[in-house]
Amino acid sequence: MTTAADIMHPGAQWIPATETLDRAAQLMARLNVGALPVSDASERLCGIITDRDIVVGCVAKGHDPAQVTCGDLCQGTPRWIAADADVSAVLDEMEGHQIKRLPVIDDRRLVGMISEADLAQHLSEEQLAGFVEKVYARR
């Protein structure tokens, strides 16, 4: 059985909800990633911030990224998957919520992230085509 831990990119890092978007962008650039899981004061997942969120949700609206926090842009219920979850559960979660990145949690700790690139490396062409169709479908 292939698990979330088998296909994830290990070593993901949290960014606190209280951190500003300019700092989030700097961390993304340093880590060469387009998204960061956002944690509350108890280091629990409270959302994900993406480079697109920063541009569209802050800069394009004329706000100063040095004055807006990651927590200000986090919306909805955060989605995640257990490290020992089967790859089919990963696909169900990502397809069902039309998300492109999924934090992987083990024993209440962030252990990695699964992105489209990770899926592309580990799925069959048929599975990948199904994922793309469901995630990018207009609802």
Side-chain angles (χ1 to χ4, degrees), residues 101-122:
R101 299 170 181 100
L102 188 63
V104 180
I105 307 292
D106 187 27
D107 194 28
R108 298 183 185 194
R109 299 190 55 86
L110 177 70
V111 294
M113 288 279 281
I114 296 173
S115 69
E116 294 169 298
D118 299 313
L119 295 178
Q121 292 177 358
H122 293 92

Side-chain angles (χ1 to χ4, degrees), residues 46-97:
C46 63
I48 293 179
I49 192 80
T50 67
D51 47 8
R52 186 176 193 285
D53 293 333
I54 295 169
V55 172
V56 174
C58 179
V59 177
K61 293 182 178 178
H63 301 296
D64 180 357
Q67 301 300 316
V68 179
T69 67
C70 294
D72 291 337
L73 288 188
C74 288
Q75 299 174 355
T77 303
R79 309 309 306 179
W80 57 274
I81 196 83
D84 61 354
D86 184 75
V87 70
S88 63
V90 171
L91 290 174
D92 288 346
E93 186 69 20
M94 294 176 81
E95 292 170 357
H97 296 282

Side-chain angles (χ1 to χ4, degrees), residues 23-65:
R23 297 285 188 178
Q26 292 164 2
L27 183 57
M28 285 181 200
R30 187 166 46 101
L31 297 174
N32 194 30
V33 298
L36 294 169
V38 179
S39 67
D40 64 14
S42 301
E43 289 195 359
R44 291 178 34 197
L45 180 68
C46 63
I48 293 179
I49 192 80
T50 67
D51 47 8
R52 186 176 193 285
D53 293 333
I54 295 169
V55 172
V56 174
C58 179
V59 177
K61 293 182 178 178
H63 301 296
D64 180 357

